[in-house]
């Protein structure tokens, strides 16, 4: 067992100096996080960048009580210290983890149950691109959406980090996958990942395209991060007994819809946010991922799609990249 290395008194972190644009992200020195019972301290090598980080930076998505005020919901690195009662990991173990915040830093704390072994053969930057999207997709598509082999999944935003993950997982588990994306290049990237049909929403009506691709049946599960006028259109695109799972509302949180469609088709419209959920809840997802998805990662049947990597101090550039909307897959910060 490796001996604990002497920890520094301070660490480099990127904080939100005030709500605003990407340039409000400022590098500063911080004290290391203090560990609670069952927690581990990770010496961060890389941190994933996600849409909730952007919303937090703008002042629209505050950290939950008890979480770090620093952005960053996923990290990879090495276990540097153990909190009281933490027994799953040893000092020096390579892990990736879902965090409630604090990922944009040289050290981050997380409950031991919310960390997973770094997938076999992965780099730290690849491993940092896994937790947030894989936890989100697993819970929303396979648990809330109850997607089964042979069913059709419609994914809005197919070229995003969430979308590229959902394509691969749904395909691996035997679903027929349809995606929407905003350019021909993005559609081509989705098809290469395993999507069966890609719809450029700028020049094609996704409702008609989904009906055409499914022989008029519609999609059994719809993963939507748009909201707005997509709500009513999703009801039209859904199959009888379809399940629509809302994970974001980038197109608007208020919508008008014909609820008779929901009744006649016996639709289920559900949704969730992951960050505020309990440690125990996230531990359950982690266990399911380790059992059912980690073997697929080990042979690269599925893997995160990497877009661009930026140094930690240039986190503002990563946020600019995300807000430009041209990325395909995951944006990651190199912390190590």
């Amino acid at each position: 067992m490796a001996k604990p290395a002497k920890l520094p008194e301070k660490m480099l972190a990127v904080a939100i100096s005030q709500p605003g644009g990407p340039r409000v992200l400022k590098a500063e020195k911080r004290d290391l996080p203090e560990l609670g019972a069952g927690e581990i301290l990770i010496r961060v090598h890389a941190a994933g960048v996600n849409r909730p980080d952007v919303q937090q930076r703008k002042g629209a998505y505050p950290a939950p009580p008890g979480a770090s005020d620093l952005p960053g919901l996923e990290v990879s690195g090495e276990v540097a210290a153990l909190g009281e009662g933490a027994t799953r990991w040893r000092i020096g173990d390579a892990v990736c983890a879902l965090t409630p915040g604090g990922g944009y830093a040289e050290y981050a704390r997380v409950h031991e149950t919310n960390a997973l072994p770094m997938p076999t053969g992965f780099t730290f930057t690849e491993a940092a691109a896994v937790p947030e999207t894989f936890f989100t997709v697993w819970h929303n598509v396979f648990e809330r959406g109850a997607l089964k082999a042979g069913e059709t999944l419609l994914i809005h935003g197919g070229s995003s980090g969430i979308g590229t993950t959902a394509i691969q997982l749904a395909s691996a588990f035997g679903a027929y996958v349809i995606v929407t994306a905003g350019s021909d290049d993005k559609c081509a990237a989705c098809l290469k990942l395993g999507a069966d049909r890609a719809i450029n929403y700028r020049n094609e009506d996704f409702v008609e395209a989904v009906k055409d691709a499914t022989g008029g049946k519609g999609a059994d599960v719809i993963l939507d991060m748009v909201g707005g006028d997509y709500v009513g259109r999703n009801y039209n695109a859904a199959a009888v007994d379809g399940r629509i799972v809302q994970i974001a509302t980038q197109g608007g949180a208020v919508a008008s819809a014909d609820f008779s469609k929901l009744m006649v088709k016996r639709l289920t419209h559900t949704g969730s946010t992951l960050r505020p959920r309990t440690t125990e809840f996230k531990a359950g997802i982690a266990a399911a991922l380790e059992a059912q998805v980690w073997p697929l990662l080990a042979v690269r049947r599925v893997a995160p799609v990497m877009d661009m990597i930026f140094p930690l101090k240039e986190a503002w550039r990563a946020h600019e990249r995300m807000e430009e909307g041209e990325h395909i897959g995951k944006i990651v910060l190199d912390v190590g």
Side-chain angles (χ1 to χ4, degrees), residues 7 68 72 103 113 117 119 157 163 226 253 257 306 322:
L7 297 174
S68 170
T113 60
V226 181
M306 305 300 289
M322 178 159 282

Side-chain angles (χ1 to χ4, degrees), residues 11 13-16 28 30 56 63 68-72 100-105 275:
M11 67 178 184
V14 169
I16 301 168
E28 61 180 43
R30 286 271 186 111
Q56 182 178 344
S68 170
D69 65 315
L70 298 174
Y104 289 18
R275 189 180 190 183

Side-chain angles (χ1 to χ4, degrees), residues 11-14 42-49 71-72 74-77 102-108 124-125 128 309-315 332-336:
M11 67 178 184
L12 179 69
V14 169
I42 298 173
R43 183 166 71 85
V44 178
H45 284 248
V49 176
E74 59 185 346
V75 300
S76 68
Y104 289 18
E106 291 180 316
Y107 290 86
F124 280 110
T125 47
I309 300 169
F310 297 91
L312 175 62
K313 288 183 179 180
E314 298 178 16
V332 173
L333 301 176
D334 184 352
V335 181

Side-chain angles (χ1 to χ4, degrees), residues 50-216:
N50 295 282
R51 186 68 61 177
D53 303 342
V54 173
Q55 294 303 107
Q56 182 178 344
R57 190 202 74 223
K58 293 178 177 179
Y61 193 39
S68 170
D69 65 315
L70 298 174
L73 301 178
E74 59 185 346
V75 300
S76 68
E78 298 171 86
V79 177
L82 305 174
E84 183 180 356
T87 58
R88 178 172 183 194
W89 306 103
R90 296 186 175 189
I91 302 297
D93 282 349
V95 297
C96 58
L98 187 74
T99 76
Y104 289 18
E106 291 180 316
Y107 290 86
R109 69 180 176 94
V110 65
H111 197 274
E112 63 175 357
T113 60
N114 290 186
L116 287 159
M118 195 162 87
T120 303
F122 274 44
T123 64
F124 280 110
T125 47
E126 287 177 321
V130 170
E132 172 69 11
T133 54
F134 278 75
F135 274 69
T136 297
V137 169
W138 186 261
H139 175 58
N140 289 288
V141 173
F142 295 95
E143 294 181 346
R144 299 193 81 81
L147 181 69
K148 302 175 185 66
E151 290 189 324
T152 296
L153 170 67
L154 170 61
I155 305 163
H156 291 304
S159 62
S160 66
I162 293 287
T164 54
T165 299
I167 290 168
Q168 295 179 79
L169 285 178
S171 177
F173 285 99
Y176 182 85
V177 180
I178 305 173
V179 303
T180 64
S183 73
D184 290 341
D185 286 346
K186 289 182 176 181
C187 285
C190 293
L191 291 170
K192 188 175 180 180
L193 283 173
D196 297 286
R197 175 78 164 85
I199 302 160
N200 185 339
Y201 63 78
R202 298 189 189 278
N203 54 35
E204 196 172 1
D205 177 13
F206 77 78
V207 176
E208 293 304 316
V210 168
K211 290 294 184 73
D212 179 68
T214 59

